[in-house]
Amino acid sequence: MKLGLVLRLVALFTVLALPALAAAPISDAQRLREGLAPGFRRPVVLVYPALDARPLGATAPSAAGSELFDAFIAALSQYSNLDVQPPARTLARIKARNAWAAREQFARSKSEEGQEDYKQVRLDAAAKHLFEAAELYDDLEYVHVDPRAVARTQLSRGLALREKGDDVDANAAFTRALQADARLRLREKYDRPDCIAAFERARTALLVELPLPEGFDKWPKAEPASTDTFLLRARLLPADDKRPERLEVLVIASGGVVLPDVQPVAAPDAAGRLAARVWASLPFGRAVRDKRSANEVRLDAGFTWFVFGENDLGTGIFNNVGAQTSFNWTLARNIGLQASFKVANSGRDREEDLRADILTFRGFIGPGYEARFGPWRLDTHVGIEVASPGRIVTTDNVYCKQFPDDPRFCPEGDVSIDDRTVVVGAGLTAGASYDLVDDIYLSLQIDASEYLYEVTDTALGRPVGAAVSLGYRFR
């Protein structure tokens, strides 16, 4: 019987805890309006310079493309929960990587060596050294630092491969040269006609498909993986018969691409819409918990009321009204400890079988779950209750109620007396408090207990009640 009651008590605890756990979260927009907490950890967005692929087409690029990219970055920077790093700072971050300057110098020397080999018609050496330079440039993300240098390296490599008869690899090198710098062209009467034709075929094919440059949607090896850092790379794409000029944006996390999106350059409010979509795709960030403010103590005092759900006195249900005080200590986020003490005096039952008031003491201590939603705090605790019901005097003889001191009407055996005892059991509390002003709050709490151990037998048990208190929070 006792075990079944304990199980029901645990089920009650689960039901009471659900509202706190299932409360609707605050939207990101509302969090921005309310302001960010001190020490808020903002996601870092590293913005790369936009690669301009529009010169691949025959139509001259408009100035609106660059203006759109700048407006988009400005709009994204307006979201205060993001740490948007502009292209200049992103390039500075790239150049600040370990041994970057030395590796850049080595890559440039390889490129110069390969181009000299090509001039001297050492085609195998030229292709080898220029390929090594191109790989070094890829590791350095050099296409964002000096796209012209990367393009010239790939172009020379393509020419050397073409003259060797390796048309497939030459076409790949021409493609990568144009992806780095779409303005690149070969010159008539200076370059070989077959090379010019191959280069134009690569440009035409690239204009039709517009694939991403190698590694454009990948996390760089030299950038440490982070859940709080995101890369934003962009391309300005040329107009064609079906589509206008447009800005393509990719947001890249260390685990993969978060969001690809495209907006026409001339679309109304394209910058704002694109910024809103990028913002919505990123995590909002998180507040850094201040360990000093996580520990808080709340003290309150007020009135309590309860009834004994288990009553074998034969008196029927009677009220117990008194005072209570509780101590709540928030140990960590959502974790708290509660200790409370109640003292209550009973009233009389309806038939007045209870002949004297019962003075009951109850003490509770237990850990629990706490959650705060604006000025509201919800909590629920499970722990141990130790109680002491007072001296119990009862009778079912009506004459003892009228003539308690006359042995002729009220024999001694018609009055039952149980002395004060001590009981121990499991307790459950669930409460809500509301901040009134400053650190003063009003709380309402309900509680229930199941006694599992009695020092001496008692006919009272299973108290269920509530308390209303006024308290103060120390932080």
Side-chain angles (χ1 to χ4, degrees):
M1 184 65 178
K2 294 284 189 183
L3 179 58
L5 291 173
V6 172
L7 292 176
R8 286 198 292 271
L9 197 62
V10 173
L12 178 62
F13 163 74
T14 303
V15 171
L16 292 173
L18 281 176
L21 296 173
I26 300 174
S27 69
D28 288 347
Q30 183 177 347
R31 294 169 70 184
L32 281 180
R33 288 194 298 269
E34 292 179 354
L36 304 177
F40 183 85
R41 184 171 294 173
R42 300 184 294 166
V44 177
V45 182
L46 302 178
V47 181
Y48 283 69
L51 296 182
D52 194 350
R54 294 176 299 169
L56 287 172
T59 306
S62 67
S66 299
E67 293 173 359
L68 172 60
F69 181 68
D70 293 340
F72 159 65
I73 299 306
L76 188 63
S77 300
Q78 295 299 312
Y79 292 100
S80 59
N81 67 302
L82 299 179
D83 181 8
V84 180
Q85 303 285 318
R89 293 185 64 178
T90 300
L91 294 181
R93 182 185 179 110
I94 290 174
K95 294 177 182 180
R97 290 171 181 165
N98 186 36
W100 192 90
R103 294 167 62 203
E104 178 202 22
Q105 185 176 359
F106 182 62
R108 281 189 172 276
S109 68
K110 278 290 181 183
S111 178
E112 291 169 0
E113 184 178 2
Q115 294 189 46
E116 182 63 27
D117 289 333
Y118 176 67
K119 290 177 183 179
Q120 300 299 326
V121 200
R122 297 190 291 266
L123 299 180
D124 288 335
K128 176 178 179 294
H129 292 144
L130 290 168
F131 177 74
E132 291 173 348
E135 285 195 322
L136 290 169
Y137 281 149
D138 287 345
D139 290 341
L140 293 169
E141 296 189 272
Y142 210 63
V143 70
H144 302 289
V145 178
D146 189 348
R148 192 72 174 177
V150 175
R152 297 301 302 180
T153 297
Q154 291 286 8
L155 176 61
S156 298
R157 176 171 170 260
L159 293 172
L161 290 169
R162 177 76 188 178
E163 292 183 27
K164 282 181 60 181
D166 190 346
D167 294 344
V168 174
D169 286 344
N171 182 73
F174 289 154
T175 298
R176 295 198 63 182
L178 286 165
Q179 286 177 324
D181 187 354
R183 299 170 299 171
L184 200 62
R185 298 291 186 273
L186 294 182
R187 294 167 292 177
E188 293 184 9
K189 299 180 182 180
Y190 183 84
D191 295 300
R192 290 172 41 175
D194 62 310
C195 290
I196 295 175
F199 187 83
E200 284 302 306
R201 286 195 297 272
R203 184 185 68 83
T204 303
L206 189 59
L207 186 60
V208 172
E209 295 185 9
L210 290 170
L212 291 174
E214 185 72 24
F216 194 76
D217 59 348
K218 299 294 188 298
W219 188 268
K221 296 177 181 178
E223 184 69 37
S226 171
T227 57
D228 292 327
T229 301
F230 299 86
L231 313 182
L232 192 151
R233 297 192 179 119
R235 293 193 303 167
L236 287 164
L237 304 179
D240 54 32
D241 295 338
K242 298 179 180 179
R243 295 169 295 183
E245 287 185 9
R246 56 208 181 276
L247 175 65
E248 180 185 47
V249 169
L250 272 76
V251 178
I252 304 156
S254 55
V257 175
V258 174
L259 171 77
D261 198 7
V262 178
Q263 285 288 337
V265 167
D269 196 29
R273 289 201 306 272
L274 188 56
R277 288 202 58 187
V278 170
W279 173 74
S281 73
L282 294 171
F284 188 82
R286 60 185 185 275
V288 178
R289 182 171 58 88
D290 186 352
K291 295 182 178 179
R292 295 173 298 175
S293 62
N295 261 335
E296 74 172 28
V297 172
R298 301 186 306 282
L299 293 175
D300 59 64
F303 300 98
T304 185
W305 165 90
F306 63 88
V307 295
F308 287 105
E310 182 180 45
N311 183 352
D312 296 332
L313 296 175
T315 61
I317 295 176
F318 55 88
N319 295 314
N320 296 266
V321 180
Q324 77 91 31
T325 183
S326 66
F327 167 88
N328 292 271
W329 181 15
T330 301
L331 302 171
R333 181 178 176 84
N334 300 127
I335 302 298
L337 179 70
Q338 183 182 78
S340 64
F341 178 76
K342 300 179 177 68
V343 56
N345 204 37
S346 72
R348 300 298 174 86
D349 61 299
R350 180 179 299 177
E351 301 298 329
E352 295 194 0
D353 290 342
L354 188 64
R355 301 308 304 152
D357 293 346
I358 302 173
L359 185 65
T360 301
F361 301 99
R362 296 173 60 194
F364 169 85
I365 186 169
Y369 177 88
E370 301 178 356
R372 176 172 282 278
F373 305 97
W376 288 94
R377 177 184 291 275
L378 304 179
D379 64 80
T380 182
H381 298 79
V382 174
I384 298 173
E385 176 166 319
V386 179
S388 177
R391 185 170 179 263
I392 304 172
V393 181
T394 60
T395 184
D396 56 4
N397 184 340
V398 66
Y399 296 105
C400 289
K401 301 174 186 178
Q402 300 296 327
F403 310 102
D405 300 324
D406 192 334
R408 293 175 301 168
F409 298 101
C410 183
E412 185 176 349
D414 286 356
V415 177
S416 175
I417 299 176
D418 294 332
D419 290 329
R420 179 178 293 278
T421 186
V422 175
V423 292
V424 181
L428 167 70
T429 70
S433 66
Y434 182 79
D435 295 339
L436 298 176
V437 59
D438 296 331
D439 290 318
I440 299 174
Y441 63 90
L442 180 68
S443 70
L444 172 65
Q445 180 177 279
I446 60 174
D447 61 83
S449 300
E450 173 64 27
Y451 297 142
L452 306 174
Y453 172 76
E454 302 169 348
V455 174
T456 57
D457 290 340
T458 180
L460 298 175
R462 212 172 298 159
V464 178
V468 177
S469 303
L470 195 64
Y472 189 83
R473 180 172 56 178
F474 298 89
R475 291 182 289 178

